[in-house]
Amino acid sequence: MGSARLPPVDEIRLRFAGTAGADAPLGAGMHAIGRGADGALGLVDGDRNGLLQFCVDRRGVWMTVHESARGVHVNGRPVKRMAMLRVGDSVYVDGVEMVLVSGEPIAPLPAELSNAPVDFATDPRIVLRGVGGRYHGRSFTLERPRLVGRAGDADIRIDDPAFPERHARIDLSGDTILLRDLGSSDGSLVNGQPARDAVLRPGDQVVFDAHHRFVVEAPARTNLHHDAPPPLDDEAEETTQSSLRQSGARRLPWLLLAALMIAGALSALLLFGTST
């Protein structure tokens, strides 16, 4: 499965829910979260007055909880000391919600797929893994399209009277994972950002109804836009195979010599051991 996808370090931000302020950028390094002089929760200098501390580097985001902090939750689950975060996670501290978001734009559906009939592909290796809400710990494969909604036939059923019967559908076109909105009023969240129709990639976190969280897990090749090495033509392949054979032939005498030396050493040990 593909590992959690992390956006560039300089694109990771912290959004304070319920406020009109701009997102706080979290570049590489240490960042303390605490109450400022005005009493508002935000980034503070140093960690003496901090309730939380975020460590950001190319490997990910680690959150450390100060001993004076109480009631800290990540995605609704209590955290006492430390947690590793992914983009899209929701952190509650001191009555305030913060969301770790990516500054990268959400990839829209390709134009050719926006209005085209669904030509669904199947791949049981692609999984939606629940990381919050009712489906925490459960997984849904994309062997078929997955309907999200309140309807009785929904695959991911969210039993809330205010939730649409048909909220969204996640399906597959080729090896592209697609989130399609079905006319919901609020849309969904992808990596902390509002989205309706979008292309999902391995490691993306999708949130429905604020509480039901899923992470996309898939083979590393899926939706990764790295260029594959060009295929070898017959002549290049033969040259490569010839080089490998020559390299193996050059290594063979050395391997034989090493084996003879080891055999000699063992013989000497046996001889001396017997004579004593």
Side-chain angles (χ1 to χ4, degrees), residues 30 47 51-57 59-75 77-86 89-92:
M30 306 294 290
D47 60 358
L51 297 172
L52 304 174
Q53 189 173 63
F54 292 97
C55 175
V56 182
D57 61 25
R59 298 169 299 176
V61 181
W62 288 92
M63 182 187 75
T64 304
V65 179
H66 193 273
E67 60 183 9
S68 64
R70 296 291 183 271
V72 179
H73 290 73
V74 175
N75 298 338
R77 294 180 173 270
V79 176
K80 293 183 178 180
R81 296 184 59 188
M82 180 179 290
M84 188 172 187
L85 305 179
R86 60 169 61 89
D89 281 346
S90 175
V91 180
Y92 288 85

Side-chain angles (χ1 to χ4, degrees), residues 31-251:
H31 307 273
I33 306 296
R35 294 284 180 183
D38 58 356
L41 196 71
L43 294 175
V44 295
D45 293 332
D47 60 358
R48 183 173 56 185
N49 299 320
L51 297 172
L52 304 174
Q53 189 173 63
F54 292 97
C55 175
V56 182
D57 61 25
R58 60 183 179 83
R59 298 169 299 176
V61 181
W62 288 92
M63 182 187 75
T64 304
V65 179
H66 193 273
E67 60 183 9
S68 64
R70 296 291 183 271
V72 179
H73 290 73
V74 175
N75 298 338
R77 294 180 173 270
V79 176
K80 293 183 178 180
R81 296 184 59 188
M82 180 179 290
M84 188 172 187
L85 305 179
R86 60 169 61 89
V87 172
D89 281 346
S90 175
V91 180
Y92 288 85
V93 58
D94 209 15
V96 177
E97 179 188 9
M98 301 174 293
V99 180
L100 202 66
V101 301
S102 170
E104 290 184 305
I106 303 300
L109 291 187
E112 62 272 16
L113 296 178
S114 296
N115 300 314
V118 177
D119 181 17
F120 185 75
T122 63
D123 193 337
R125 299 172 300 169
I126 301 177
V127 172
L128 301 174
R129 181 169 60 87
V131 295
R134 171 185 174 186
Y135 295 100
H136 181 86
R138 290 189 57 185
S139 295
F140 297 84
T141 63
L142 287 188
E143 295 175 300
R144 56 186 173 83
R146 295 295 181 176
L147 174 65
V148 181
R150 184 168 47 89
D153 62 344
D155 300 281
I156 300 174
R157 188 166 182 266
I158 299 177
D159 193 12
D160 183 337
F163 198 73
E165 287 198 357
R166 299 173 62 83
H167 175 83
R169 185 178 66 242
I170 298 178
D171 55 39
L172 200 62
S173 178
D175 64 354
T176 303
I177 309 166
L178 305 175
L179 169 67
R180 300 177 187 267
D181 190 81
L182 300 179
S184 69
S185 58
D186 298 324
S188 308
L189 293 177
V190 177
N191 295 335
Q193 300 277 39
R196 292 188 178 275
D197 298 333
V199 172
L200 302 179
R201 293 174 288 184
D204 282 349
Q205 182 172 177
V206 187
V207 182
F208 308 111
D209 193 32
H211 305 295
H212 295 80
R213 299 172 175 273
F214 295 85
V215 170
V216 178
E217 295 183 346
R221 65 173 180 82
T222 306
N223 296 129
L224 297 183
H225 304 292
H226 300 304
D227 294 330
L232 295 176
D233 55 29
D234 293 341
E235 181 179 355
E237 184 173 4
E238 175 59 31
T239 301
T240 301
Q241 295 297 332
S242 177
S243 299
L244 291 173
R245 288 194 295 268
Q246 292 175 7
S247 176
R250 286 194 298 268
R251 289 196 299 267

